[in-house]
């Protein structure tokens, strides 16, 4: 269909447009982050991409992090989470597992140990049930470190958690008292 390199290029551009800068190609996301895929394809073609529904479907289906999702009728598409634009994803609060993980670069660990995990420019702090995924996230920013999050204790204390369509756990803030600095690499 398309090369892996082109798939990656389109996926990165979709992340930029659907999570952070829809205006960069002249689209507007609705209040829940959705956009008509026909319009998205048209606008991407105007900006140097050779897009079609088939290519968009392929990119959505093969994205290893499941960053994009269609609505049930496949008439709308959006990013699953990670937005810096203000949208309401419509997720319902869920009880998280006892422990979740957050991967980041080692250079941020001292600050995190002072202030906790903040969402910064995004709408939520992203947490994973899988240590390997947390490590790969941390590696994107430098030498990885992993924080264990006492998510069950947070939930019991009234903190709200959501589970995104692509199985990323989301919350607004993780205070220091719920954090434990884990390990920086997988042994073995």
């Amino acid at each position: 269909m398309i090369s892996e390199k082109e798939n990656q290029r389109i996926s990165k551009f979709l992340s930029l447009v659907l999570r952070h800068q829809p205006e960069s190609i002249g689209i507007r996301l609705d209040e829940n982050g959705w956009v008509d895929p026909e319009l998205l394809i048209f606008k991407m073609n105007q900006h140097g991409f050779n897009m079609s529904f088939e290519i968009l479907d392929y990119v959505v289906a093969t994205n290893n992090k499941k960053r994009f999702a269609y609505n049930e009728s496949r008439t709308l598409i959006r990013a699953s989470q990670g937005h810096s634009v203000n949208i309401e994803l419509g997720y319902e609060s869920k009880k998280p597992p006892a422990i979740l993980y957050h991967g980041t670069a080692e250079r941020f660990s001292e600050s995190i140990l002072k202030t906790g995990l903040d969402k910064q420019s995004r709408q939520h702090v992203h947490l994973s049930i899988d240590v390997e995924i947390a490590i790969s996230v941390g590696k994107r920013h430098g030498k990885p470190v992993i924080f264990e999050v006492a998510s069950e204790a947070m939930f019991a204390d009234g903190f709200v958690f959501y589970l995104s369509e692509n199985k990323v756990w989301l919350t607004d803030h993780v205070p220091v008292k719920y954090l434990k600095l884990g390990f920086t690499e997988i042994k073995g």
Side-chain angles (χ1 to χ4, degrees):
M1 155 123 332
I2 58 174
S3 70
E4 183 56 37
K5 185 176 179 180
E6 182 64 3
N7 188 349
Q8 192 171 39
R9 181 176 88 95
I10 293 169
S11 180
K12 284 183 178 189
F13 190 75
L14 282 173
S15 287
L16 173 72
V17 169
L18 296 178
R19 294 165 78 182
H20 309 295
Q21 297 176 13
E23 72 283 354
S24 68
I25 63 168
I27 63 171
R28 294 185 75 190
L29 306 177
D30 74 10
E31 65 275 2
N32 302 118
W34 297 107
V35 67
D36 180 335
E38 245 180 83
L39 176 63
L40 178 64
I41 290 166
F42 176 76
K43 291 294 189 171
M44 286 183 70
N45 283 330
Q46 287 185 324
H47 285 81
F49 288 85
N50 182 20
M51 287 295 292
S52 65
F53 277 106
E54 293 77 19
I55 292 172
L56 183 60
D57 285 348
Y58 180 78
V59 171
V60 170
T62 59
N63 185 272
N64 64 341
K65 295 185 180 177
K66 302 296 179 201
R67 286 197 166 129
F68 317 107
Y70 287 107
N71 64 351
E72 284 187 24
S73 61
R74 297 177 55 85
T75 57
L76 297 171
I77 188 171
R78 73 176 178 186
S80 298
Q81 96 288 323
H83 299 82
S84 61
V85 295
N86 191 21
I87 62 161
E88 177 53 54
L89 291 168
Y91 294 143
E92 293 182 25
S93 176
K94 293 195 184 247
K95 182 179 181 182
I99 300 292
L100 289 169
Y101 303 95
H102 180 82
T104 190
E106 183 178 53
R107 68 182 180 277
F108 301 129
S109 60
E110 188 175 322
S111 173
I112 291 169
L113 288 169
K114 289 179 184 171
T115 64
L117 290 170
D118 292 313
K119 58 186 175 181
Q120 298 178 344
S121 65
R122 293 190 175 185
Q123 286 194 305
H124 297 100
V125 174
H126 296 191
L127 304 170
S128 172
I129 195 165
D130 187 292
V131 174
E132 285 83 12
I133 290 173
I135 290 170
S136 77
V137 168
K139 281 182 180 178
R140 291 187 311 196
H141 307 288
K143 183 178 178 190
V145 295
I146 304 304
F147 282 92
E148 290 184 9
V149 176
S151 44
E152 186 174 56
M154 282 180 65
F155 185 78
D157 288 346
F159 287 85
V160 178
F161 287 82
Y162 306 97
L163 183 60
S164 73
E165 293 156 342
N166 61 343
K167 308 301 181 212
V168 173
W169 284 92
L170 309 170
T171 193
D172 287 337
H173 174 72
V174 180
V176 174
K177 76 177 196 172
Y178 300 103
L179 290 173
K180 177 181 168 190
L181 186 58
F183 45 88
T184 57
E185 59 188 62
I186 298 174
K187 305 289 185 209

